[in-house]
Amino acid sequence: MTTRNAAIPPVRYGYGLLMFLLALTGFAQMPIFKRYYIADIPGLGWLAMFYVTHYLHYIGAVLILGLAAYFVTAYFRTRPERPKLTPTGYLRAGLIGVILVTGLLLAVKNFPGYVFPPGAVILLDLVHLGSVFVFIPTALYCWAFSKKWINSPSKGDVKGVN
Amino acid sequence: MAIQLSRRSFLKGSLAAAGAVAATSAPAAAVKGAKGGRHLATLIDIDKCIGCGACVEACRDANYEKYPEAKKPFPKMYPNRVPVEDWSDDQYASDRLTPYNLLFIQEAVVDVDGEERFLTVPRRCMHCVNPPCVKLCPWGAAQQYKNGISRIDKDICLGGSKCRKVCPWHIPQRQTGAGLYLELLPSFAGNGIMTKCDRCCDRVAGGGVPACIEACPEGAQIIGPRDEIVRKAHELADETGGYIYGETENGGTNTLYVSPVPFEELNKAVDKGKGRPHFKPAENTMAKANNLVLGMAIAPIAGIAAAWGKQIVADNKKKEKPEHIKEGTDHDNA
């Protein structure tokens, strides 16, 4: 069964909004919004301010890390029978995992005294961005076709984002 | 023709040679002393600089192979607002920073103890301890070495100029029509390559010193491990009643200036603008976001605690429920 589960609507909407904020502020790390007039749209001038978008991206990262930890813990603590991730659930979880890990490493790199080899930084940047490029169409597909994260067993359930 | 070598001239020549060797080997030893992750910093004594331009010429000689090779005509870029920045026909401009002039002499007329003085100040990349140009480059084209030197890899840079926008002094300069972007989508992404002083990183890696320091006839600039350079800057400032710039600006830079006048006054006196950096106070640009990383460490713990707690509450409710049902059953049986 792969219908949408409206278990916790505020969390689902919050998750969607959070992912949108992260994607927007993430893309804003590239100098494209001013070049292509998007930052000229009234109210969107902040998209061309690199320090503002960087800060907002970090705030989004704090929230998504908390949310991810909550759902991963809830998933593994669910009893008596742990629900199973759907194939698209595995794909989305894997992509978010890669994005979080590479993002964390990039955040560590930004501390004074942390010098990563140039090749490693380029690899992290490309994997982080590449994962986002795969995640966005995947998430849109799952949203459009009401794909669930988990196949709920008869007993026990992980309520949350679907 | 036989060379006549007197004892006096031999001694004089030997002393001069020994002095020259000592002059170049002392900073070289300092460079070696900075190995093992210690940042290298330079100290520029503005009082000593005579504005001769020897450092500017030495910089050109040492770095001309790194200069961008602009291919013309430049690709038409969309949208039209994308600016062309072309210094390829004006490579000898020396009154500001350009892609072909990584170091220039800034001039100022200031009042020192009631006396009007003409000061000259070598300006180039400050080599921040935590350089935003490096840390915020979206492609990793800007890099920092363990010795604190930051540089832009011209083979990778796309010329988006984000590094210049996030630099408190707007140091990096762009040359359109060169670099990797020409091989990708030259009309729609990128705009050349960014350039800035890399503190002659190749020479330093080989145990040498940057060309500008080696060429200075007045010894206005010295190089060494940052902690030692900071100490020397304070000693010099205490001796001369001078002022220090670079120790704390943008969280600390690896270029320290000591000036006979406050930098607020020097900043008012120098010609500022594009390619001509200021001497204003500079807050630590990376600090605010980096403070949030603590939140990134705490957030998962909070998430785990919330999920764990919720599960415990749910388990307790489940435990209570059977007893209640059991009691009810006994009561019914009774």
Side-chain angles (χ1 to χ4, degrees):
Chain A
M1 188 70 179
T2 56
T3 54
R4 188 177 295 160
N5 181 353
I8 312 174
V11 172
R12 204 175 70 221
Y13 296 136
Y15 162 77
L17 201 64
L18 181 57
M19 295 311 266
F20 177 73
L21 171 80
L22 280 163
L24 187 68
T25 53
F27 283 120
Q29 299 312 303
M30 294 180 282
I32 53 175
F33 286 138
K34 188 179 179 188
R35 176 170 179 157
Y36 287 106
Y37 296 94
I38 294 162
D40 291 359
I41 298 169
L44 296 184
W46 58 275
L47 284 173
M49 299 174 186
F50 293 117
Y51 284 114
V52 171
T53 55
H54 184 228
Y55 195 75
L56 289 174
H57 198 66
Y58 271 30
I59 289 174
V62 170
L63 296 175
I64 194 69
L65 280 164
L67 207 60
Y70 175 86
F71 282 112
V72 169
T73 308
Y75 176 78
F76 284 107
R77 290 268 299 158
T78 302
R79 290 185 293 264
E81 190 183 339
R82 190 178 300 153
K84 285 180 181 170
L85 280 171
T86 61
T88 55
Y90 271 114
L91 181 59
R92 281 177 283 177
L95 286 168
I96 289 174
V98 172
I99 292 165
L100 289 182
V101 170
T102 51
L104 272 173
L105 288 170
L106 287 168
V108 169
K109 176 214 69 176
N110 286 347
F111 275 104
Y114 285 83
V115 178
F116 290 11
V121 175
I122 293 166
L123 183 70
L124 284 173
D125 281 331
L126 291 177
V127 172
H128 192 69
L129 184 64
S131 303
V132 173
F133 271 121
V134 179
F135 178 79
I136 288 173
T138 305
L140 289 175
Y141 166 80
C142 293
W143 174 75
F145 293 96
S146 302
K147 298 289 182 188
K148 287 177 66 179
W149 279 76
I150 52 170
N151 283 319
S152 299
S154 54
K155 293 177 184 175
D157 194 1
V158 177
K159 289 183 176 179
V161 183
N162 275 306
Chain B
M1 185 181 157
I3 297 171
Q4 298 292 318
L5 189 66
S6 67
R7 203 169 112 175
R8 178 186 286 263
S9 62
F10 172 77
L11 282 172
K12 198 175 166 185
S14 301
L15 282 172
V21 167
T24 53
S25 62
V31 167
K32 279 180 184 168
K35 283 184 177 173
R38 288 171 84 190
H39 278 199
L40 276 174
T42 55
L43 170 59
I44 298 171
D45 182 354
I46 294 173
D47 228 3
K48 278 187 179 174
C49 178
I50 57 171
C52 65
C55 54
V56 178
E57 289 304 314
C59 176
R60 285 173 183 270
D61 290 345
N63 291 296
Y64 75 95
E65 286 181 351
K66 300 174 189 169
Y67 288 162
E69 292 171 22
K71 290 174 187 165
K72 294 183 181 178
F74 299 139
K76 182 160 176 55
M77 286 182 285
Y78 298 98
N80 288 331
R81 80 186 321 180
V82 182
V84 167
E85 292 183 41
D86 179 23
W87 288 92
S88 61
D89 294 329
D90 197 9
Q91 296 190 18
Y92 291 96
S94 60
D95 60 343
R96 56 162 285 173
L97 296 171
T98 78
Y100 303 92
N101 196 52
L102 311 178
L103 164 67
F104 84 108
I105 304 290
Q106 207 165 25
E107 299 170 347
V109 177
V110 293
D111 189 288
V112 181
D113 300 328
E115 184 190 339
E116 192 175 81
R117 279 195 56 192
F118 179 65
L119 297 180
T120 51
V121 190
R123 297 306 301 271
R124 50 156 173 77
C125 173
M126 299 285 288
H127 291 279
C128 302
V129 169
N130 196 31
C133 60
V134 172
K135 301 299 175 104
L136 299 181
C137 174
W139 304 109
Q143 301 149 2
Q144 186 185 31
Y145 295 135
K146 285 185 178 173
N147 61 11
I149 291 176
S150 59
R151 65 180 283 265
I152 298 171
D153 188 336
K154 68 174 187 174
D155 294 331
I156 302 168
C157 180
L158 297 174
S161 82
K162 182 183 177 183
C163 52
R164 180 167 59 195
K165 289 188 183 80
V166 298
C167 170
W169 296 274
H170 309 300
I171 296 284
Q173 298 296 312
R174 175 161 58 192
Q175 174 61 51
T176 298
L180 182 62
Y181 91 111
L182 293 173
E183 312 296 324
L184 302 172
L185 294 166
S187 293
F188 301 101
N191 188 4
I193 59 174
M194 306 303 296
T195 64
K196 71 172 197 72
C197 159
D198 64 5
R199 196 171 269 172
C200 295
C201 58
D202 299 332
R203 291 168 66 110
V204 171
V209 295
C212 57
I213 296 175
E214 194 175 87
C216 182
E218 300 296 316
Q221 193 177 175
I222 58 170
I223 189 168
R226 188 172 193 273
D227 48 355
E228 287 178 26
I229 288 295
V230 169
R231 184 176 50 78
K232 285 180 180 172
H234 278 278
E235 285 172 3
L236 180 61
D238 290 345
E239 274 174 31
T240 61
Y243 302 85
I244 300 172
Y245 190 82
E247 184 183 5
T248 57
E249 280 69 20
N250 196 27
T253 69
N254 286 322
T255 299
L256 278 78
Y257 289 93
V258 173
S259 161
V261 294
F263 281 93
E264 193 180 357
E265 283 181 35
L266 190 60
N267 183 55
K268 283 179 192 164
V270 293
D271 194 12
K272 299 173 290 292
K274 289 184 176 177
R276 298 184 181 100
H278 61 78
F279 268 120
K280 288 191 289 190
E283 66 170 6
N284 189 344
T285 51
M286 297 296 293
K288 282 181 187 169
N290 281 346
N291 288 340
L292 277 177
V293 177
L294 179 65
M296 290 185 206
I298 294 169
I301 298 167
I304 290 167
W308 206 281
K310 195 179 173 187
Q311 190 67 45
I312 289 169
V313 170
D315 287 350
N316 286 342
K317 277 185 181 173
K318 278 180 188 173
K319 279 178 191 170
E320 286 169 9
K321 206 173 177 182
E323 280 177 19
H324 176 70
I325 292 164
K326 196 178 174 184
E327 277 173 18
T329 308
D330 291 344
H331 179 74
D332 288 343
N333 289 340

